Amino acid sequence: MSVVCLIVEILAIAYFTLLFREQGESHTYELELLWSYKKWILESNVAYGLEILNNIVLFFPLGFILTDAFQKCPLWSAFLFALAVSSCIEVSQLVFRIGLFEFDDIFNNVFGAIAGWCVFHVLKSMRRRRKE
C-alpha cells in the first residue's frame, strides 16, 4: 500500500508543479541560491515565505511515504531520491517554459523530504518505545 501511496504522491507533485501551470513565452531561471529567503526575510515579502513553505510541504509526504514504502531507506537515499525528483521537475519547468527554474525550489523540496523522513523515524521510535 505504501508503494501505491508513493506513486500517488509523485503524480500529485508532477500535477502541481508541471501540469497545473500554463506555458510561458520564455525560459526563466534564477541561479542565485537562497535568493527567495533574502526576499522573504530582508524585504519582508510574505509571498516568498509562503512559496518556500509550500515547496517544503509539497515534498514532506514524499520523504515520509518513501521511508514507509522501503523500510530500510537510509537518509542519503531519501536525499538523493528527493534531489532527483525535484531536479527533474525544475529542469522540465525550464525546458517547457512552465515555471521558474531555481535552486531554491530544489533546496526546499529536498528539505521537505528530509523532514518527512525524520518525522517518520521519530514516530517509529516513539511507537517502538510504547510497545516496550
Side-chain angles (χ1 to χ4, degrees), residues 76-101:
W76 64 267
S77 283
F79 173 84
L80 290 177
F81 188 79
L83 181 64
V85 171
S86 184
S87 296
C88 286
I89 288 167
E90 291 300 312
V91 168
S92 295
Q93 286 179 341
L94 179 65
V95 169
F96 297 115
R97 300 183 312 246
I98 53 175
L100 176 67
F101 173 92

PDB file of all heavy atoms in Angstrom, residues 76-101:
ATOM      1  N   TRP A  76      20.486   9.128   3.206  1.00  0.00           N
ATOM      2  CA  TRP A  76      21.102   9.514   1.938  1.00  0.00           C
ATOM      3  C   TRP A  76      20.255   9.091   0.752  1.00  0.00           C
ATOM      4  O   TRP A  76      20.229   9.772  -0.269  1.00  0.00           O
ATOM      5  CB  TRP A  76      22.545   8.994   1.833  1.00  0.00           C
ATOM      6  CG  TRP A  76      22.681   7.509   1.816  1.00  0.00           C
ATOM      7  CD1 TRP A  76      22.883   6.682   2.887  1.00  0.00           C
ATOM      8  CD2 TRP A  76      22.607   6.657   0.674  1.00  0.00           C
ATOM      9  NE1 TRP A  76      22.940   5.366   2.486  1.00  0.00           N
ATOM     10  CE2 TRP A  76      22.773   5.331   1.123  1.00  0.00           C
ATOM     11  CE3 TRP A  76      22.416   6.873  -0.683  1.00  0.00           C
ATOM     12  CZ2 TRP A  76      22.746   4.232   0.271  1.00  0.00           C
ATOM     13  CZ3 TRP A  76      22.398   5.779  -1.542  1.00  0.00           C
ATOM     14  CH2 TRP A  76      22.556   4.472  -1.056  1.00  0.00           C
ATOM     15  N   SER A  77      19.544   7.961   0.855  1.00  0.00           N
ATOM     16  CA  SER A  77      18.665   7.514  -0.227  1.00  0.00           C
ATOM     17  C   SER A  77      17.489   8.459  -0.403  1.00  0.00           C
ATOM     18  O   SER A  77      17.115   8.803  -1.525  1.00  0.00           O
ATOM     19  CB  SER A  77      18.131   6.108   0.044  1.00  0.00           C
ATOM     20  OG  SER A  77      19.088   5.144  -0.225  1.00  0.00           O
ATOM     21  N   ALA A  78      16.898   8.853   0.713  1.00  0.00           N
ATOM     22  CA  ALA A  78      15.787   9.805   0.657  1.00  0.00           C
ATOM     23  C   ALA A  78      16.272  11.131   0.078  1.00  0.00           C
ATOM     24  O   ALA A  78      15.577  11.749  -0.744  1.00  0.00           O
ATOM     25  CB  ALA A  78      15.192  10.009   2.050  1.00  0.00           C
ATOM     26  N   PHE A  79      17.456  11.549   0.479  1.00  0.00           N
ATOM     27  CA  PHE A  79      18.042  12.788  -0.027  1.00  0.00           C
ATOM     28  C   PHE A  79      18.227  12.718  -1.548  1.00  0.00           C
ATOM     29  O   PHE A  79      17.809  13.610  -2.282  1.00  0.00           O
ATOM     30  CB  PHE A  79      19.383  13.047   0.661  1.00  0.00           C
ATOM     31  CG  PHE A  79      20.154  14.199   0.094  1.00  0.00           C
ATOM     32  CD1 PHE A  79      19.885  15.493   0.502  1.00  0.00           C
ATOM     33  CD2 PHE A  79      21.132  13.987  -0.866  1.00  0.00           C
ATOM     34  CE1 PHE A  79      20.589  16.569  -0.034  1.00  0.00           C
ATOM     35  CE2 PHE A  79      21.846  15.040  -1.401  1.00  0.00           C
ATOM     36  CZ  PHE A  79      21.569  16.343  -0.989  1.00  0.00           C
ATOM     37  N   LEU A  80      18.860  11.640  -2.012  1.00  0.00           N
ATOM     38  CA  LEU A  80      19.120  11.503  -3.447  1.00  0.00           C
ATOM     39  C   LEU A  80      17.839  11.363  -4.261  1.00  0.00           C
ATOM     40  O   LEU A  80      17.721  11.918  -5.361  1.00  0.00           O
ATOM     41  CB  LEU A  80      20.049  10.319  -3.712  1.00  0.00           C
ATOM     42  CG  LEU A  80      21.491  10.485  -3.251  1.00  0.00           C
ATOM     43  CD1 LEU A  80      22.290   9.204  -3.501  1.00  0.00           C
ATOM     44  CD2 LEU A  80      22.151  11.665  -3.944  1.00  0.00           C
ATOM     45  N   PHE A  81      16.859  10.638  -3.721  1.00  0.00           N
ATOM     46  CA  PHE A  81      15.595  10.460  -4.433  1.00  0.00           C
ATOM     47  C   PHE A  81      14.873  11.799  -4.559  1.00  0.00           C
ATOM     48  O   PHE A  81      14.398  12.157  -5.641  1.00  0.00           O
ATOM     49  CB  PHE A  81      14.713   9.436  -3.703  1.00  0.00           C
ATOM     50  CG  PHE A  81      13.481   9.072  -4.475  1.00  0.00           C
ATOM     51  CD1 PHE A  81      13.552   8.170  -5.525  1.00  0.00           C
ATOM     52  CD2 PHE A  81      12.250   9.622  -4.157  1.00  0.00           C
ATOM     53  CE1 PHE A  81      12.417   7.830  -6.248  1.00  0.00           C
ATOM     54  CE2 PHE A  81      11.115   9.294  -4.872  1.00  0.00           C
ATOM     55  CZ  PHE A  81      11.201   8.384  -5.918  1.00  0.00           C
ATOM     56  N   ALA A  82      14.792  12.546  -3.467  1.00  0.00           N
ATOM     57  CA  ALA A  82      14.138  13.858  -3.495  1.00  0.00           C
ATOM     58  C   ALA A  82      14.895  14.816  -4.411  1.00  0.00           C
ATOM     59  O   ALA A  82      14.281  15.593  -5.154  1.00  0.00           O
ATOM     60  CB  ALA A  82      14.047  14.432  -2.086  1.00  0.00           C
ATOM     61  N   LEU A  83      16.207  14.757  -4.370  1.00  0.00           N
ATOM     62  CA  LEU A  83      17.027  15.604  -5.238  1.00  0.00           C
ATOM     63  C   LEU A  83      16.765  15.280  -6.710  1.00  0.00           C
ATOM     64  O   LEU A  83      16.622  16.186  -7.540  1.00  0.00           O
ATOM     65  CB  LEU A  83      18.509  15.417  -4.905  1.00  0.00           C
ATOM     66  CG  LEU A  83      19.503  16.253  -5.702  1.00  0.00           C
ATOM     67  CD1 LEU A  83      19.304  17.739  -5.419  1.00  0.00           C
ATOM     68  CD2 LEU A  83      20.929  15.838  -5.354  1.00  0.00           C
ATOM     69  N   ALA A  84      16.667  14.011  -7.033  1.00  0.00           N
ATOM     70  CA  ALA A  84      16.414  13.592  -8.418  1.00  0.00           C
ATOM     71  C   ALA A  84      15.026  14.035  -8.885  1.00  0.00           C
ATOM     72  O   ALA A  84      14.881  14.593  -9.980  1.00  0.00           O
ATOM     73  CB  ALA A  84      16.564  12.078  -8.543  1.00  0.00           C
ATOM     74  N   VAL A  85      14.016  13.786  -8.061  1.00  0.00           N
ATOM     75  CA  VAL A  85      12.649  14.171  -8.433  1.00  0.00           C
ATOM     76  C   VAL A  85      12.552  15.686  -8.595  1.00  0.00           C
ATOM     77  O   VAL A  85      12.016  16.189  -9.586  1.00  0.00           O
ATOM     78  CB  VAL A  85      11.622  13.658  -7.392  1.00  0.00           C
ATOM     79  CG1 VAL A  85      10.238  14.244  -7.645  1.00  0.00           C
ATOM     80  CG2 VAL A  85      11.560  12.142  -7.402  1.00  0.00           C
ATOM     81  N   SER A  86      13.065  16.419  -7.624  1.00  0.00           N
ATOM     82  CA  SER A  86      12.998  17.872  -7.673  1.00  0.00           C
ATOM     83  C   SER A  86      13.781  18.434  -8.855  1.00  0.00           C
ATOM     84  O   SER A  86      13.318  19.358  -9.545  1.00  0.00           O
ATOM     85  CB  SER A  86      13.516  18.460  -6.360  1.00  0.00           C
ATOM     86  OG  SER A  86      13.376  19.859  -6.373  1.00  0.00           O
ATOM     87  N   SER A  87      14.955  17.898  -9.108  1.00  0.00           N
ATOM     88  CA  SER A  87      15.761  18.364 -10.241  1.00  0.00           C
ATOM     89  C   SER A  87      15.065  18.102 -11.567  1.00  0.00           C
ATOM     90  O   SER A  87      15.086  18.954 -12.463  1.00  0.00           O
ATOM     91  CB  SER A  87      17.135  17.690 -10.228  1.00  0.00           C
ATOM     92  OG  SER A  87      17.850  18.067  -9.084  1.00  0.00           O
ATOM     93  N   CYS A  88      14.441  16.938 -11.699  1.00  0.00           N
ATOM     94  CA  CYS A  88      13.687  16.629 -12.924  1.00  0.00           C
ATOM     95  C   CYS A  88      12.547  17.627 -13.133  1.00  0.00           C
ATOM     96  O   CYS A  88      12.302  18.078 -14.255  1.00  0.00           O
ATOM     97  CB  CYS A  88      13.127  15.210 -12.872  1.00  0.00           C
ATOM     98  SG  CYS A  88      14.362  13.934 -13.116  1.00  0.00           S
ATOM     99  N   ILE A  89      11.868  17.963 -12.054  1.00  0.00           N
ATOM    100  CA  ILE A  89      10.772  18.929 -12.141  1.00  0.00           C
ATOM    101  C   ILE A  89      11.295  20.295 -12.568  1.00  0.00           C
ATOM    102  O   ILE A  89      10.748  20.931 -13.479  1.00  0.00           O
ATOM    103  CB  ILE A  89      10.035  19.024 -10.792  1.00  0.00           C
ATOM    104  CG1 ILE A  89       9.214  17.763 -10.570  1.00  0.00           C
ATOM    105  CG2 ILE A  89       9.151  20.269 -10.740  1.00  0.00           C
ATOM    106  CD1 ILE A  89       8.699  17.610  -9.163  1.00  0.00           C
ATOM    107  N   GLU A  90      12.350  20.749 -11.920  1.00  0.00           N
ATOM    108  CA  GLU A  90      12.890  22.074 -12.233  1.00  0.00           C
ATOM    109  C   GLU A  90      13.411  22.149 -13.657  1.00  0.00           C
ATOM    110  O   GLU A  90      13.169  23.131 -14.356  1.00  0.00           O
ATOM    111  CB  GLU A  90      13.984  22.457 -11.230  1.00  0.00           C
ATOM    112  CG  GLU A  90      13.469  22.725  -9.832  1.00  0.00           C
ATOM    113  CD  GLU A  90      12.471  23.858  -9.768  1.00  0.00           C
ATOM    114  OE1 GLU A  90      12.724  24.940 -10.337  1.00  0.00           O
ATOM    115  OE2 GLU A  90      11.413  23.673  -9.137  1.00  0.00           O
ATOM    116  N   VAL A  91      14.103  21.122 -14.111  1.00  0.00           N
ATOM    117  CA  VAL A  91      14.602  21.108 -15.484  1.00  0.00           C
ATOM    118  C   VAL A  91      13.425  21.068 -16.464  1.00  0.00           C
ATOM    119  O   VAL A  91      13.438  21.764 -17.489  1.00  0.00           O
ATOM    120  CB  VAL A  91      15.577  19.936 -15.713  1.00  0.00           C
ATOM    121  CG1 VAL A  91      15.884  19.737 -17.187  1.00  0.00           C
ATOM    122  CG2 VAL A  91      16.860  20.160 -14.917  1.00  0.00           C
ATOM    123  N   SER A  92      12.401  20.302 -16.150  1.00  0.00           N
ATOM    124  CA  SER A  92      11.205  20.250 -17.005  1.00  0.00           C
ATOM    125  C   SER A  92      10.534  21.623 -17.081  1.00  0.00           C
ATOM    126  O   SER A  92      10.085  22.041 -18.153  1.00  0.00           O
ATOM    127  CB  SER A  92      10.210  19.217 -16.474  1.00  0.00           C
ATOM    128  OG  SER A  92      10.747  17.927 -16.556  1.00  0.00           O
ATOM    129  N   GLN A  93      10.466  22.314 -15.958  1.00  0.00           N
ATOM    130  CA  GLN A  93       9.880  23.653 -15.961  1.00  0.00           C
ATOM    131  C   GLN A  93      10.678  24.592 -16.862  1.00  0.00           C
ATOM    132  O   GLN A  93      10.103  25.404 -17.581  1.00  0.00           O
ATOM    133  CB  GLN A  93       9.820  24.223 -14.545  1.00  0.00           C
ATOM    134  CG  GLN A  93       8.758  23.596 -13.687  1.00  0.00           C
ATOM    135  CD  GLN A  93       8.736  24.159 -12.277  1.00  0.00           C
ATOM    136  OE1 GLN A  93       9.697  24.758 -11.811  1.00  0.00           O
ATOM    137  NE2 GLN A  93       7.627  23.951 -11.591  1.00  0.00           N
ATOM    138  N   LEU A  94      11.977  24.473 -16.822  1.00  0.00           N
ATOM    139  CA  LEU A  94      12.821  25.318 -17.658  1.00  0.00           C
ATOM    140  C   LEU A  94      12.654  24.973 -19.135  1.00  0.00           C
ATOM    141  O   LEU A  94      12.417  25.852 -19.970  1.00  0.00           O
ATOM    142  CB  LEU A  94      14.291  25.172 -17.243  1.00  0.00           C
ATOM    143  CG  LEU A  94      15.298  25.988 -18.043  1.00  0.00           C
ATOM    144  CD1 LEU A  94      15.059  27.477 -17.841  1.00  0.00           C
ATOM    145  CD2 LEU A  94      16.719  25.611 -17.641  1.00  0.00           C
ATOM    146  N   VAL A  95      12.746  23.707 -19.461  1.00  0.00           N
ATOM    147  CA  VAL A  95      12.681  23.265 -20.848  1.00  0.00           C
ATOM    148  C   VAL A  95      11.324  23.581 -21.477  1.00  0.00           C
ATOM    149  O   VAL A  95      11.242  24.094 -22.597  1.00  0.00           O
ATOM    150  CB  VAL A  95      12.986  21.749 -20.956  1.00  0.00           C
ATOM    151  CG1 VAL A  95      12.657  21.201 -22.331  1.00  0.00           C
ATOM    152  CG2 VAL A  95      14.440  21.484 -20.602  1.00  0.00           C
ATOM    153  N   PHE A  96      10.252  23.310 -20.739  1.00  0.00           N
ATOM    154  CA  PHE A  96       8.905  23.504 -21.284  1.00  0.00           C
ATOM    155  C   PHE A  96       8.316  24.889 -20.986  1.00  0.00           C
ATOM    156  O   PHE A  96       7.162  25.150 -21.301  1.00  0.00           O
ATOM    157  CB  PHE A  96       7.964  22.407 -20.772  1.00  0.00           C
ATOM    158  CG  PHE A  96       8.373  21.034 -21.214  1.00  0.00           C
ATOM    159  CD1 PHE A  96       8.769  20.088 -20.290  1.00  0.00           C
ATOM    160  CD2 PHE A  96       8.386  20.690 -22.562  1.00  0.00           C
ATOM    161  CE1 PHE A  96       9.158  18.819 -20.695  1.00  0.00           C
ATOM    162  CE2 PHE A  96       8.764  19.430 -22.973  1.00  0.00           C
ATOM    163  CZ  PHE A  96       9.156  18.486 -22.038  1.00  0.00           C
ATOM    164  N   ARG A  97       9.122  25.759 -20.356  1.00  0.00           N
ATOM    165  CA  ARG A  97       8.725  27.145 -20.056  1.00  0.00           C
ATOM    166  C   ARG A  97       7.433  27.218 -19.247  1.00  0.00           C
ATOM    167  O   ARG A  97       6.531  27.992 -19.556  1.00  0.00           O
ATOM    168  CB  ARG A  97       8.584  27.944 -21.356  1.00  0.00           C
ATOM    169  CG  ARG A  97       9.835  28.017 -22.172  1.00  0.00           C
ATOM    170  CD  ARG A  97       9.654  28.873 -23.401  1.00  0.00           C
ATOM    171  NE  ARG A  97       8.446  28.542 -24.142  1.00  0.00           N
ATOM    172  CZ  ARG A  97       8.403  28.018 -25.350  1.00  0.00           C
ATOM    173  NH1 ARG A  97       9.506  27.794 -25.993  1.00  0.00           N
ATOM    174  NH2 ARG A  97       7.271  27.754 -25.945  1.00  0.00           N
ATOM    175  N   ILE A  98       7.352  26.412 -18.202  1.00  0.00           N
ATOM    176  CA  ILE A  98       6.133  26.403 -17.385  1.00  0.00           C
ATOM    177  C   ILE A  98       6.405  26.803 -15.935  1.00  0.00           C
ATOM    178  O   ILE A  98       5.655  26.449 -15.043  1.00  0.00           O
ATOM    179  CB  ILE A  98       5.420  25.027 -17.431  1.00  0.00           C
ATOM    180  CG1 ILE A  98       6.376  23.894 -17.086  1.00  0.00           C
ATOM    181  CG2 ILE A  98       4.780  24.811 -18.768  1.00  0.00           C
ATOM    182  CD1 ILE A  98       5.733  22.543 -16.993  1.00  0.00           C
ATOM    183  N   GLY A  99       7.418  27.519 -15.725  1.00  0.00           N
ATOM    184  CA  GLY A  99       7.719  27.977 -14.371  1.00  0.00           C
ATOM    185  C   GLY A  99       9.121  28.524 -14.304  1.00  0.00           C
ATOM    186  O   GLY A  99       9.809  28.655 -15.313  1.00  0.00           O
ATOM    187  N   LEU A 100       9.504  28.819 -13.116  1.00  0.00           N
ATOM    188  CA  LEU A 100      10.826  29.384 -12.864  1.00  0.00           C
ATOM    189  C   LEU A 100      11.759  28.284 -12.375  1.00  0.00           C
ATOM    190  O   LEU A 100      11.486  27.647 -11.357  1.00  0.00           O
ATOM    191  CB  LEU A 100      10.716  30.492 -11.808  1.00  0.00           C
ATOM    192  CG  LEU A 100      12.002  31.135 -11.330  1.00  0.00           C
ATOM    193  CD1 LEU A 100      12.633  31.937 -12.466  1.00  0.00           C
ATOM    194  CD2 LEU A 100      11.720  32.038 -10.141  1.00  0.00           C
ATOM    195  N   PHE A 101      12.826  28.039 -13.116  1.00  0.00           N
ATOM    196  CA  PHE A 101      13.856  27.113 -12.640  1.00  0.00           C
ATOM    197  C   PHE A 101      14.650  27.848 -11.573  1.00  0.00           C
ATOM    198  O   PHE A 101      15.158  28.937 -11.797  1.00  0.00           O
ATOM    199  CB  PHE A 101      14.796  26.701 -13.775  1.00  0.00           C
ATOM    200  CG  PHE A 101      15.974  25.892 -13.292  1.00  0.00           C
ATOM    201  CD1 PHE A 101      15.901  24.520 -13.256  1.00  0.00           C
ATOM    202  CD2 PHE A 101      17.136  26.510 -12.863  1.00  0.00           C
ATOM    203  CE1 PHE A 101      16.985  23.766 -12.798  1.00  0.00           C
ATOM    204  CE2 PHE A 101      18.223  25.768 -12.401  1.00  0.00           C
ATOM    205  CZ  PHE A 101      18.134  24.394 -12.377  1.00  0.00           C
TER     206      PHE A 101
END
